[in-house]
Amino acid sequence: MNQDYFFCGVGGSGMMPLALIVQASGARISGSDRALDQGRTPEKFDWLRAHGVTLFPQDGSGVVSRDQVVVATGAVEETVPDIGAARRVGATIKTRPQLLSELFNTAPTSIGVAGTSGKSTITGMIAWILDQAGRDPTVVNGAVMKNFADADHPFASARIGGTDLFVAEVDESDGSIARYDPTIAVVSNISLDHKSMEELRELFGGFVGRAATAVLNLDNPETAALAQDLAPGKAITFALGEEAADLSAHDLEALPTGMRFELRVRAEAARAATLNAPGAHNVANALAALGAVRALGVDLDQAVAALETFRGIRRRLEVVGTRGGVTVIDDFAHNPDKIAATLKTLHAFDGRLLILFQPHGFGPLKLMQQEFIAGFAGLMRPDDVLLMPEPVYYGGTTDRSVGSEDIAAGVRAAGRRAEALPERADCGDRVIAMARPGDRVVVMGARDDSLSTFAAELLARL
């Protein structure tokens, strides 16, 4: 397709992989990014330029023709100059979910990975198994898959493969999951994150209903309920320690950098399996991936062998390094479920946790105030410390009635140590002042590339 595409926010974790896949189909790619204008992550934009992407300031100057397709994030913001320019010249405007779902639905075979938590990891696991099985999938992930990252592809959140098998992480938070018609629908879990439970049940129910096969988690009451509504033979189920599931994991054993478990599959001999990703939640993610590739007929022993060499997803419990006996970990956890999985995994081993949690908005803090407080208070140990800067605020009409101090006060009231400080830098200074050998510093938060840089800077200061 000899088409011109302009990506607004081309450096974003969701936009970049999509731009590269569209480019691989023969289209010309250009774009803008607020981070580029602000001088953030310059190495990413240098890489894009070197790979044939023309970059413009985000001032509308890159949108000049009605023949361009302008791709915006989920929300088309009329205040963005590129969108204004697209309206003026009569260019086609598509949202990212619109474009991604069109590519996804065009593929003869597709795997859509959905759920509140675990999507990026499951997508990465499926991608790696299919790659190792010679299936040449095209993959769009919301995070960097370490197995595909190398010197030439440092930002490997996509794998550009053939056109007949498409794997994508699918988001329910903006409702765009309704656009996808998967051959195989994977749902890891369903819990309160961005929408009400009623809306979520409808969205996930439709997604699963449109698929030929659904891969569903029996450990989560909401996904287990979806399995009961399906015709016999349509669901492949998985669970931890649950014999009733099609795939189950037993005798979980935590290793310093991963997990060992026994994999049982209905009517087959049990197998030993090893993962180089820590935590019981990653065993559940592995079962989801195994269910998805099983639906495509991939040999199970081959799939288990591939999982053993799966190197994980960037910013998912990623160890940045250790200095002076203190380990710094970078993690994407930002909702109560993900935070719980991270804390449980880290508490499988000794050492105090210094938790720096940067909320990604005032909205989630208000919606889930009690869940955040209960999660931290219930899973922190007496000597752990929680440090929170105020949420990122870009201006606008956001309701700022619940802030970081409200969460910290609730955690303190429950008998755990928590402080809210105005800026992230202040939290960093506190961490450096408090850290002692044996501690683990966890930098948690989402949607902010600079958190990884911040974690690296903390390590350097220790």
Side-chain angles (χ1 to χ4, degrees):
M1 65 186 187
N2 204 356
Q3 178 83 53
D4 279 306
Y5 280 81
F6 184 95
F7 285 81
C8 187
V10 69
S13 61
M15 285 295 211
M16 196 161 158
L18 192 54
L20 296 175
I21 283 170
V22 171
Q23 184 185 46
S25 71
R28 284 184 297 273
I29 305 298
S30 57
S32 67
D33 202 294
R34 195 163 51 183
L36 171 68
D37 297 348
Q38 293 166 356
R40 290 184 284 141
T41 61
E43 65 288 343
K44 182 187 285 186
F45 296 107
D46 291 344
W47 186 88
L48 281 169
R49 280 191 200 95
H51 287 75
V53 178
T54 310
L55 297 176
F56 291 89
Q58 200 165 81
D59 59 7
S61 61
V63 182
V64 292
S65 160
R66 59 176 311 218
D67 297 329
Q68 286 172 287
V69 177
V70 177
V71 186
T73 51
V76 177
E77 293 176 33
E78 300 298 333
T79 52
V80 175
D82 296 333
I83 299 299
R87 295 257 190 253
R88 279 196 302 281
V89 300
T92 302
I93 298 173
K94 288 187 177 180
T95 63
R96 177 189 179 270
Q98 202 177 344
L99 178 59
L100 177 55
S101 59
E102 284 171 13
L103 296 172
F104 181 90
N105 293 339
T106 307
T109 305
S110 57
I111 302 178
V113 181
T116 310
S117 304
K119 291 189 287 285
S120 299
T121 300
I122 295 166
T123 303
M125 287 173 167
I126 291 170
W128 184 238
I129 294 168
L130 293 175
D131 173 272
Q132 294 297 285
R135 295 290 185 98
D136 194 29
T138 287
V139 184
V140 175
N141 204 334
V144 173
M145 300 174 280
K146 289 185 179 180
N147 286 87
F148 300 110
D150 57 29
D152 288 338
H153 305 90
F155 310 104
S157 46
R159 181 196 185 278
I160 296 163
T163 52
D164 53 350
L165 177 55
F166 201 109
V167 182
E169 177 182 333
V170 173
D171 196 6
E172 82 292 341
S173 66
D174 56 6
S176 63
I177 186 173
R179 295 178 172 275
Y180 294 82
D181 302 323
T183 313
I184 298 158
V186 181
V187 183
S188 57
N189 45 56
I190 303 173
S191 63
L192 202 59
D193 191 4
H194 301 272
K195 291 193 171 328
S196 72
M197 280 319 296
E198 287 69 33
E199 288 176 283
L200 291 174
R201 285 179 191 128
E202 191 173 318
L203 286 169
F204 283 110
F207 177 65
V208 161
R210 293 190 298 277
T213 306
V215 180
L216 300 169
N217 179 7
L218 292 187
D219 287 331
N220 177 268
E222 293 289 340
T223 39
L226 287 180
Q228 300 202 306
D229 294 340
L230 293 176
K234 186 170 169 176
I236 294 177
T237 58
F238 65 92
L240 300 179
E242 177 61 65
E243 289 284 0
D246 295 317
L247 295 106
S248 57
H250 304 263
D251 304 330
L252 273 63
E253 181 193 346
L255 309 171
T257 59
M259 299 294 286
R260 194 179 288 133
F261 62 96
E262 184 183 79
L263 172 66
R264 292 187 203 160
V265 181
R266 241 180 232 182
E268 291 185 24
R271 314 165 158 74
T274 306
L275 268 188
N276 282 305
H281 64 293
N282 274 321
V283 176
N285 291 338
L287 293 177
L290 290 169
V293 300
R294 191 174 174 78
L296 289 180
V298 173
D299 176 75
L300 200 63
D301 289 321
Q302 194 177 18
V304 169
L307 275 178
E308 198 166 330
T309 57
F310 175 70
R311 289 178 36 224
I313 300 288
R314 197 157 296 157
R315 293 212 66 224
R316 303 305 189 270
L317 273 172
E318 185 173 21
V319 174
V320 183
T322 302
R323 257 201 180 165
V326 180
T327 300
V328 178
I329 295 160
D330 186 16
D331 192 58
F332 183 77
H334 61 281
N335 65 34
D337 270 13
K338 290 186 170 81
I339 290 167
T342 293
L343 296 182
K344 283 177 187 164
T345 301
L346 292 172
H347 278 318
F349 298 93
D350 292 335
R352 177 174 76 153
L353 299 182
L354 303 180
I355 305 157
L356 192 154
F357 170 52
Q358 176 182 295
H360 69 277
F362 284 92
L365 282 189
K366 185 169 187 185
L367 177 70
M368 297 179 278
Q369 181 178 1
Q370 296 313 318
E371 288 89 343
F372 276 120
I373 292 169
F376 281 117
L379 288 166
M380 285 170 65
R381 290 189 177 155
D383 59 345
D384 292 343
V385 184
L386 171 66
L387 301 164
M388 288 176 64
E390 282 300 331
V392 182
Y393 175 62
Y394 293 115
T397 55
T398 310
D399 174 357
R400 292 188 287 163
S401 59
V402 175
S404 292
E405 175 53 36
D406 297 288
I407 308 298
V411 174
R412 285 198 300 274
R416 293 293 182 259
R417 297 173 63 187
E419 301 173 26
L421 301 158
E423 301 289 335
R424 185 167 73 185
D426 305 327
C427 295
D429 293 342
R430 286 287 289 137
V431 166
I432 298 302
M434 293 161 76
R436 54 176 194 248
D439 285 349
R440 283 147 324 147
V441 175
V442 196
V443 176
M444 292 199 298
R447 296 187 191 167
D448 183 348
D449 285 350
S450 68
L451 278 168
S452 297
T453 314
F454 178 73
E457 286 165 0
L458 279 182
L459 181 69
R461 288 175 66 188
L462 281 166

